[in-house]
């Protein structure tokens, strides 16, 4: 049997499986190209000490007392290779009673230099969610133009799924009722998949993901902010800084503002 005859026989006999293989190969190729398109736009900005995903144009950071005293004038003036810090989230409270000792100074400093600012609460699942929300409300007064409150969900502390989800929902409800805007949820990939996905799909998402160079694992309709580095440098701040990127069209930042 000649090679040509053999090939015709194999094609006729296994036509379906060959077509299926070609289809799968094509899908894989498209997805791979999409990932490469994202990856090839990473650019190292030496002044910040990290790579930035430059296909997005709105970058920011978050701070707490752990960043020490901040020179907000220097922060506001910093620009390197076209990258400026265009928004900031500032820790305000934690649990039912704690407040960040630098919050007031940081809040005023960011406002003074004109950086859009938001406040976040570190959530403890073992504490009363209503008291945690009231703690935040007591410390944080928002004005038009400020960013939506953020719920920082990083720990489970042994609390069962049902109780934990109910507590998160209670905090979110109290905060939304008070400020008139849906809070944004900050979490990591693991907690997102277990607790947030399917339970809190109507809320904006701020994801901490340092391993991926693409965001295919998250709901593209609700993912607004991507924390992609914990090791950036910003003038006016001592030590390393969390760097975030707004992954929606830049004009949609208005959806997170009061």
């Amino acid at each position: 049997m000649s090679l040509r005859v053999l090939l015709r026989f194999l094609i006729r006999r296994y036509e379906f499986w060959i077509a299926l293989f070609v289809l799968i190969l094509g899908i894989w190729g498209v997805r791979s190209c999409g990932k490469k398109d994202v990856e090839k736009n990473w650019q190292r900005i030496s002044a910040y000490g990290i790579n930035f995903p430059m296909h997005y144009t709105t970058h920011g950071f978050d701070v707490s007392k752990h960043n020490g005293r901040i020179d907000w004038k220097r922060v506001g003036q910093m620009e390197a290779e076209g990258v400026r810090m265009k928004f900031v989230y500032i820790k305000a409270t934690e649990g039912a009673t704690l407040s960040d000792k630098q919050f007031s100074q940081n809040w005023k400093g960011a406002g003074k230099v004109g950086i859009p600012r938001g406040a976040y609460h570190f959530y403890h699942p073992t504490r009363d969610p209503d008291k945690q929300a009231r703690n935040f409300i007591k410390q944080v007064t928002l004005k038009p133009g400020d960013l939506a409150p953020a719920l920082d969900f990083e720990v489970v502390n042994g609390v069962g799924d049902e109780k934990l989800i109910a507590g998160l929902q209670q905090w979110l409800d109290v905060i939304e009722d008070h400020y008139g805007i849906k809070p944004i949820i900050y979490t990591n990939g693991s907690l997102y998949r277990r607790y947030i996905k399917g339970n809190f799909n109507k809320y904006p998402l701020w994801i901490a993901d340092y391993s991926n160079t693409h965001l295919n694992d998250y709901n593209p309709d609700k993912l607004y902010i991507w924390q992609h580095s914990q090791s950036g440098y910003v003038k006016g701040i001592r030590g390393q800084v969390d760097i975030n990127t707004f992954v929606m069209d830049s004009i949609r930042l208005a959806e997170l503002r009061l």
Side-chain angles (χ1 to χ4, degrees):
M1 182 182 294
S2 70
L3 179 60
R4 181 176 298 177
V5 172
L6 178 61
L7 287 173
R8 287 176 179 173
F9 170 77
L10 291 173
I11 291 172
R12 290 194 187 101
R13 186 180 181 97
Y14 300 104
E15 182 176 0
F16 170 77
W17 296 109
I18 292 172
L20 181 61
F21 174 75
V22 171
L23 177 62
I24 293 173
L25 188 63
I27 293 173
W28 177 84
V30 169
R31 293 188 66 183
S32 296
C33 289
K35 292 178 183 179
K36 288 178 181 178
D37 285 341
V38 171
E39 293 169 356
K40 73 181 182 181
N41 285 310
W42 285 88
Q43 180 181 333
R44 184 168 183 80
I45 309 297
S46 297
Y48 290 101
I50 61 168
N51 297 324
F52 279 80
M54 297 299 287
H55 48 289
Y56 304 117
T57 59
T58 304
H59 307 283
F61 63 108
D62 58 90
V63 293
S64 70
K65 67 179 182 181
H66 300 295
N67 298 101
R69 293 177 63 87
I70 296 173
D71 184 338
W72 285 97
K73 184 177 180 180
R74 294 187 67 200
V75 173
Q77 292 174 340
M78 184 177 182
E79 180 173 356
E81 300 180 53
V83 174
R84 299 181 65 91
M85 294 292 98
K86 296 182 179 179
F87 67 93
V88 61
Y89 264 97
I90 302 167
K91 184 178 180 180
T93 51
E94 178 174 342
T97 59
L98 300 177
S99 60
D100 190 289
K101 66 180 182 180
Q102 292 293 120
F103 174 69
S104 179
Q105 183 176 356
N106 286 335
W107 190 253
K108 292 175 182 176
K112 189 173 182 179
V113 298
I115 299 177
R117 60 193 181 173
Y120 74 87
H121 172 81
F122 189 96
Y123 186 81
H124 281 283
T126 57
R127 303 293 187 266
D128 182 279
D130 185 74
K131 290 181 179 178
Q132 293 195 65
R134 300 300 171 188
N135 184 27
F136 183 87
I137 291 169
K138 181 180 177 181
Q139 299 294 332
V140 181
T141 300
L142 298 179
K143 299 177 180 179
D146 289 334
L147 299 174
L151 174 64
D152 182 356
F153 171 44
E154 299 184 46
V155 296
V156 175
N157 293 339
V159 174
D161 291 10
E162 186 175 342
K163 180 179 178 181
L164 190 147
I165 291 169
L168 291 172
Q169 187 65 69
Q170 186 175 351
W171 190 95
L172 293 166
D173 287 344
V174 173
I175 294 299
E176 183 175 357
D177 286 345
H178 181 79
Y179 294 104
I181 188 171
K182 276 188 168 45
I184 185 169
I185 299 173
Y186 169 93
T187 193
N188 59 48
S190 177
L191 294 179
Y192 166 78
R193 287 185 290 273
R194 181 167 180 178
Y195 299 103
I196 303 304
K197 186 178 181 180
N199 294 307
F200 299 98
N201 291 341
K202 64 182 180 179
Y203 293 92
L205 179 65
W206 171 11
I207 199 73
D209 191 327
Y210 315 119
S211 61
N212 290 341
T213 55
H214 61 92
L215 301 171
N216 296 343
D217 297 334
Y218 309 104
N219 182 352
D221 295 326
K222 288 300 178 181
L223 180 58
Y224 283 75
I225 301 175
W226 176 20
Q227 185 182 95
H228 53 83
S229 177
Q230 292 177 298
S231 55
Y233 289 92
V234 177
K235 289 181 179 179
I237 305 177
R238 293 192 301 272
Q240 296 180 326
V241 180
D242 296 336
I243 300 296
N244 304 282
T245 291
F246 188 76
V247 298
M248 293 287 195
D249 188 294
S250 59
I251 64 172
R252 294 189 64 182
L253 186 61
E255 296 173 11
L256 294 183
R257 304 181 78 168
L258 273 71

